[in-house]
Amino acid sequence: MTVPRVVVVAGLAIAFFLIGCRTSPAPEDPMRLAVAKARARAKATRSNHESFISSLCPYPKEGLLAGYECSSIARDRERCLEFSLDRERAALVDQSYGKEWRDLDGLYEDWFRARCGVDQALRWVDLATREWSDRTGQGLRENRCVQRMLEERLFFHASRVGRMDGFWRLVEVRQAAGGRALASLEQARAATEKPAVVKADLSGSVRPESWRELVYRLDVALARPPILAQRHCEMLRLEGDCETKLTLYFHSIGEDADGLVVCKF
């Protein structure tokens, strides 16, 4: 029996359709695709940033080191970054608004010294009892924070004068980290307002002067980023959400210091 031509054509069409359904890849989840792209951008931005900094002051090789060796390496790299930033500031003399940028750098440094002091203190103090640990190796966390702060300033100035790009991409990818850091500082500051819990047997020491210094530094760490953001946006002649984003960016630097491996021991 002869099969009508129209039936054959219809059958072939259905067969090809079914084959296509089996072999066509499943569509990408839009949310997963967006997250993957964001992570790729963040990784590329961080790589660009770290490549630039490493060209000025190379990162130490990771390895098992004694505490004193680690401290020495950390101090040497901090001095290298400070020297590089001093050269950058010296060049501001010949730039437009050079004095204003130098003054703003001074404001930035006052802030990051306080911020890194907070980072160090919160590592070793019990906010409930106001008891300080007497363990060794306490300076490394502060040094790591200072290194990151200096790195960020060098990258900013290089981007500002056109030697590098990617600063504003860095600001974008740091927004979530800035929010976390701000919340952590606010939580710590609120804890300092509570009465100290009295313990009969202290394993560390109570240091009233250190406690007062911590509270002062927490206030500076919280109050200064919005001021820095406002001044930067004015100098750069940027409006819109510039201040909001730069405020979170500045807060993010302290948290991001946790990703800077000085050395392991």
Side-chain angles (χ1 to χ4, degrees), residues 120-211:
Q120 173 73 19
L122 292 181
R123 178 76 172 180
W124 303 104
V125 67
D126 184 329
L127 292 175
T129 63
R130 304 185 183 182
E131 177 185 2
W132 297 77
S133 170
D134 295 321
R135 287 180 289 176
T136 60
Q138 296 191 19
L140 288 175
R141 189 176 181 88
E142 183 171 6
N143 174 273
R144 182 169 59 185
C145 176
V146 169
Q147 285 188 52
R148 185 62 91 195
M149 294 290 187
L150 294 169
E151 289 178 0
E152 294 296 315
R153 204 59 184 165
L154 283 164
F155 188 68
F156 167 75
H157 279 305
S159 299
R160 182 180 60 80
V161 298
R163 292 202 311 274
M164 290 293 297
D165 61 7
F167 174 74
W168 288 103
R169 289 196 298 274
L170 188 67
V171 170
E172 290 289 345
V173 301
R174 292 274 187 80
Q175 294 300 290
R180 290 192 298 269
L182 174 58
S184 178
L185 288 174
E186 290 175 336
Q187 184 178 13
R189 184 62 181 89
T192 64
E193 296 295 324
K194 298 178 181 179
V197 176
V198 179
K199 288 176 60 178
D201 53 336
L202 293 176
S203 57
S205 57
V206 177
R207 309 171 190 170
E209 291 184 3
S210 297
W211 180 260

Side-chain angles (χ1 to χ4, degrees), residues 110-111 113-123 125 127 132 181-193 210-226 251:
D110 288 345
W111 164 70
R113 295 293 177 184
R115 176 65 180 84
C116 291
V118 167
D119 199 48
Q120 173 73 19
L122 292 181
R123 178 76 172 180
V125 67
L127 292 175
W132 297 77
L182 174 58
S184 178
L185 288 174
E186 290 175 336
Q187 184 178 13
R189 184 62 181 89
T192 64
E193 296 295 324
S210 297
W211 180 260
R212 287 192 292 271
E213 181 70 14
L214 169 60
V215 173
Y216 167 75
R217 287 179 170 179
L218 273 168
D219 287 339
V220 173
L222 283 165
R224 193 62 59 84
H251 277 301

Side-chain angles (χ1 to χ4, degrees), residues 9-52:
V9 172
L12 289 173
I14 293 172
F16 282 124
F17 173 76
L18 293 175
I19 292 172
C21 288
R22 286 197 299 269
T23 59
S24 298
E28 287 278 2
D29 179 1
M31 182 62 71
R32 181 178 297 178
L33 191 60
V35 170
K37 287 182 178 179
R39 286 177 177 171
R41 286 195 299 269
K43 184 177 181 180
T45 298
R46 188 182 183 93
S47 176
N48 183 40
H49 166 270
E50 293 191 349
S51 295
F52 167 72

Side-chain angles (χ1 to χ4, degrees), residues 232-252:
H232 278 75
C233 293
E234 289 173 353
M235 291 287 291
L236 296 169
R237 292 179 170 80
L238 295 174
E239 298 179 353
D241 57 359
C242 174
E243 290 186 27
T244 301
K245 289 189 173 181
L246 279 185
T247 296
L248 290 179
Y249 160 74
F250 286 123
H251 277 301
S252 77

